[in-house]
Amino acid sequence: ALSLLGYCYYYIQDYENASDCYEQLTKYYPDAEDYKIYHAQSLYKGGEYETAQKVCQTIDNPEHANKITQLQIAIQYELEEVSHARSIAESLEMDSSEAIITEGCLLFKEEKYEEARQKFQEAMNSSGYQCDLAYNIALCYYKMKQLAPSLKHIADIIEKGVREHPELGVGSN
């Protein structure tokens, strides 16, 4: 019940309560690494970056290594510690989609918008169209003051959303 409650809190973006639930679960079930991950993710989403980092450091399961690495990179990114995030990212498999996207995000944070755009485009070319990548590309174009390509990507996202989810369109019942 506590696990379901934590999930529900997380789903409705009540990260403080989700974090409390998962923290209790980690005490009741100290060997359940998933609860530690969910606890760290809830803390991260709630802006408790240092505490989330400490929880990540308690997880020592090779099965979850990639997920923890991604979370640690995100934490360092939010703390404006780009060089530290980059050093953590070096442990990722270089040709993985996650590594390419991570590199794009770090380049964006360093205001290297054209290089970041190329990384996001490379990730989309290898993994297929994804709205979040298209948005990142649009944002790079916007930051480079290239409004036409930026607007084209935003229009593509909207068109895809309307096509795939007609129930969300204007005037739907």
Side-chain angles (χ1 to χ4, degrees):
L2 190 57
S3 178
L4 180 58
L5 184 60
Y7 173 81
C8 290
Y9 280 133
Y10 189 90
Y11 186 78
I12 63 168
Q13 300 178 1
D14 184 347
Y15 302 118
E16 184 177 340
N17 280 319
S19 172
D20 290 344
C21 289
Y22 290 124
E23 182 177 25
Q24 289 178 50
L25 286 163
T26 62
K27 291 176 183 169
Y28 296 140
Y29 305 98
D31 295 333
E33 299 275 313
D34 287 344
Y35 290 140
K36 292 178 184 178
I37 293 171
Y38 301 152
H39 183 215
Q41 288 173 328
S42 298
L43 289 165
Y44 164 74
K45 289 291 211 167
E48 299 290 331
Y49 305 124
E50 287 85 6
T51 309
Q53 184 67 36
K54 288 176 186 173
V55 172
C56 285
Q57 292 168 349
T58 68
I59 302 168
D60 188 27
N61 184 335
E63 187 177 306
H64 300 299
N66 192 46
K67 191 179 290 187
I68 294 305
T69 300
Q70 288 288 353
L71 187 53
Q72 289 175 325
I73 293 167
I75 290 166
Q76 295 307 310
Y77 183 90
E78 290 298 327
L79 291 171
E80 303 287 335
E81 296 287 341
V82 177
S83 61
H84 191 208
R86 190 174 294 288
S87 69
I88 296 169
E90 290 173 2
S91 68
L92 293 173
E93 192 176 311
M94 291 311 292
D95 60 346
S96 73
S97 186
E98 292 94 2
I100 295 168
I101 294 167
T102 297
E103 180 64 20
C105 291
L106 295 173
L107 288 166
F108 185 88
K109 187 69 108 172
E110 295 170 333
E111 299 181 3
K112 298 176 181 176
Y113 303 121
E114 177 56 27
E115 293 173 57
R117 185 200 62 77
Q118 290 172 2
K119 288 294 180 183
F120 295 135
Q121 188 65 57
E122 179 183 343
M124 192 153 53
N125 291 345
S126 68
S127 63
Y129 186 88
Q130 295 177 37
C131 290
D132 56 340
L133 290 175
Y135 177 78
N136 290 350
I137 292 167
L139 194 54
C140 289
Y141 277 124
Y142 177 80
K143 288 290 196 174
M144 294 185 295
K145 301 193 183 332
Q146 296 179 23
L147 299 183
S150 178
L151 288 172
K152 183 205 176 300
H153 282 280
I154 296 297
D156 291 346
I157 294 167
I158 293 168
E159 181 183 324
K160 185 170 180 62
V162 169
R163 193 173 52 248
E164 291 182 2
H165 299 282
E167 72 277 9
L168 300 176
V170 177
S172 65
N173 294 332

